[in-house]
Amino acid sequence: MTTGRLPDHEQRILDEVERALRRDRRLDRRLRTLRLRRRPDLSRVAHYRPHVLTVGLLLAVSIALLVTGIVTSRPAVIWAFSAVWPLTLFASFRLVCRWTEP
């Protein structure tokens, strides 16, 4: 096969297929989500708006892990607490910021 230009009728068919694919919103959304990003999207983190129930649940889990870690001194429980606690602080901070917005 040669690597030259396609015949006119094949080029028209290819153009038509490409136009149809560009109009497909579901395909476009799926292709956008498959793209690999070099940096994480920090705008999603900055716009996180937690609910009171989420913060309450995180706080309850954190306190339960803290008490369990103190009583049992098991490394797995301490590591679990150390993973959940920063999330709890961040969600609490974002909730307070949301409440104090004018």
Side-chain angles (χ1 to χ4, degrees), residues 1 12 29 33 35 40 47 49 51 56 67 74 86 95 97:
M1 280 185 79
R12 280 193 302 270
R29 185 175 49 239
T33 59
R35 291 183 192 141
H47 290 82
R49 297 174 62 101
H51 296 284
V67 171
R74 290 190 176 190
L95 183 65
C97 287

Side-chain angles (χ1 to χ4, degrees), residues 45-102:
V45 175
H47 290 82
Y48 175 64
R49 297 174 62 101
H51 296 284
V52 176
L53 292 176
T54 305
V55 174
L57 180 66
L58 280 171
L59 193 59
V61 169
S62 295
I63 291 172
L65 286 172
L66 175 67
V67 171
T68 306
I70 290 171
V71 171
T72 64
S73 297
R74 290 190 176 190
V77 176
I78 296 170
W79 280 106
F81 170 75
S82 68
V84 172
W85 181 243
L87 298 174
T88 305
L89 287 178
F90 178 73
S92 302
F93 178 74
R94 293 298 297 171
L95 183 65
V96 169
C97 287
R98 188 176 78 186
W99 284 346
T100 59
E101 286 178 351

